[in-house]
Amino acid sequence: MPLPTPDDTDAYYRRHAADYARRADGIDLTPMLAPLLAALRPGSRVLDLGCGSGRDARYLAGLGHRVIGADPCAEMLALARAASPTGAPTAPTYVQARVPDLPFADACFDAVWACASLLHVPRGDLPAALAACRRVLRPGGRLAILVKEGDGEVDDNRRLCVLWRIDDLVARVRAAGFEIELAVPRPSFDERAITWLQVLASC
Ligand SMILES: C[S@@+](CC[C@H](N)C(=O)[O-])C[C@H]1O[C@@H](n2cnc3c(N)ncnc32)[C@H](O)[C@@H]1O
């Protein structure tokens, strides 16, 4: 069977949005967020790229940052909106969008947080995705990425997952015009036997 396309990946998240949210919302991502948070000023403008059910968008907004969550999956966004505090001055807002087609002005964010979302971008499309992230970041802005370690592109239940080696990922982030601040493997943050790669970069 051919590898899943981005449309197949979207269909996966449409089908599994509620289950995904139940699992993802219980995960504590604060250790992974710490390096990015240390680089942010109060009230920073943050794009949660591939926000899913909005766990991190809510957390970052709760810290006082101005957060937009973007995701191609309408079902995920509906769950994210439903879980966000209404009327709070710093509640995240949510936009249906996929990288590299980001409907935001140039240089309008201080940070892009891409947690387990760029892993769904086909390997050959990563340069365009990184260029889109750089375009929406102000000079000096931060890009934070988490992807899975490994080789190749795999079919995970009809979801495309692109696996990365850290040197290759770092080279591509550098080639997109970023300076690497941190590039480390991280143990799984849930029960799965996965090593994550975390990259924090500035532009
Ligand atoms: C593994 S989930 C991660 C969700 C959330 N960031 C989290 O950590 O719980 C991957 C998310 O990336 C989204 N996604 C897939 N392709 C994307 C793309 N090209 N641009 C932005 N988001 C994408 C999916 O719809 C899904 O919500």
Side-chain angles (χ1 to χ4, degrees), residues 52-69:
S53 50
R55 176 200 61 235
D56 301 332
R58 290 191 294 283
Y59 177 71
L60 291 163
L63 296 177
H65 299 299
R66 292 169 285 162
V67 184
I68 295 181

Side-chain angles (χ1 to χ4, degrees), residues 35-55:
L36 174 63
L37 287 174
L40 294 184
R41 289 186 288 243
S44 287
R45 296 157 301 163
V46 181
L47 174 62
D48 184 352
L49 181 60
C51 62
S53 50
R55 176 200 61 235

Side-chain angles (χ1 to χ4, degrees), residues 75-128:
E75 287 76 2
M76 285 292 207
L77 292 171
L79 292 165
R81 288 190 182 102
S84 285
T86 48
T90 60
T93 55
Y94 294 100
V95 173
Q96 189 170 20
R98 70 168 52 254
V99 71
D101 302 319
L102 298 180
F104 307 112
D106 293 358
C108 69
F109 290 106
D110 299 301
V112 174
W113 167 247
C115 179
S117 52
L118 292 180
L119 60 84
H120 295 311
V121 172
R123 195 179 303 278
D125 295 345
L126 190 71

Side-chain angles (χ1 to χ4, degrees), residues 182-196:
L182 175 79
V184 287
R186 294 280 206 164
S188 182
F189 37 76
D190 60 22
E191 71 289 348
R192 293 172 298 169
I194 292 171
T195 298
W196 293 89

